Amino acid sequence: MDCIFCKIINNEIPSYTIYEDENVKCFLDINPVSKGHTLIVPKKHIKDFYDIDNETLLNVFDACKKVTNLINKKLKPNGIRLLQNNGVLQDVKHFHLHIIPSYTKEEKNNNAEDVFQLLTK
Ligand code: AMP
Ligand code: ZN
């Protein structure tokens, strides 16, 4: 199957992975809306919210708690938005939850390598 997120999960294409366990992978969005914009994907290929089972949804939100705590601690945003697109709004047809931090003053340094270092060191 030609799915870009399955390729990221299988390490066939690189990602800035900030958290991973047996069920999910969390990595920086390649085109971030803000500093620390992260995607959480289940390791099973599931298309969207209509298809996802409750157990996998719980795995995604378990990881989401961990990652939002990490982002809050390390990047200190003033708010965090969770977003999940379906249908025509969804570009990548592998379920993913966006974590989008917001800041009072938009952070200038949005370099993925620097954000990765801040979140993982
Ligand atoms: P959506 O519109 O919810 O399907 O969003 C798809 C998201 O995936 C967009 O925010 C893209 O920037 C992001 N994206 C696409 N390819 C990659 C990639 N190789 N690594 C990280 N994020 C990606
Ligand atoms: Zn996939």
Side-chain angles (χ1 to χ4, degrees):
M1 194 191 320
D2 199 26
C3 171
I4 192 160
F5 287 174
C6 282
K7 287 182 181 156
I8 287 177
I9 289 160
N10 295 325
N11 296 315
E12 290 165 28
I13 61 172
S15 67
Y16 286 103
T17 292
I18 60 168
Y19 174 79
E20 183 171 11
D21 61 31
E22 59 180 336
N23 301 305
V24 302
K25 189 153 174 150
C26 312
F27 50 89
L28 297 179
D29 194 292
I30 205 166
N31 189 18
V33 169
S34 64
K35 182 177 185 175
H37 180 175
T38 299
L39 302 176
I40 305 188
V41 303
K43 289 193 171 176
K44 281 194 279 188
H45 181 90
I46 297 170
K47 184 179 164 209
D48 60 16
F49 188 70
Y50 306 115
D51 283 358
I52 197 165
D53 59 279
N54 287 358
E55 191 185 339
T56 308
L57 204 50
L58 197 56
N59 294 332
V60 167
F61 276 96
D62 261 353
C64 181
K65 284 250 182 186
K66 293 187 173 106
V67 171
T68 51
N69 285 337
L70 180 71
I71 289 173
N72 277 334
K73 194 168 146 205
K74 304 273 183 161
L75 303 182
K76 305 196 183 330
N78 62 10
I80 285 192
R81 171 175 294 129
L82 303 179
L83 174 76
Q84 193 272 316
N85 290 316
N86 300 280
V88 294
L89 300 174
Q90 184 180 12
D91 282 338
V92 180
K93 304 294 189 194
H94 179 134
F95 181 98
H96 53 283
L97 181 65
H98 295 254
I99 298 178
I100 306 175
S102 89
Y103 302 88
T104 312
K105 215 172 103 217
E106 188 48 67
E107 301 278 325
K108 291 287 174 254
N109 185 0
N110 215 343
N111 176 272
E113 182 66 42
D114 294 341
V115 177
F116 177 72
Q117 294 297 331
L118 278 171
L119 287 171
T120 55
K121 300 299 167 232

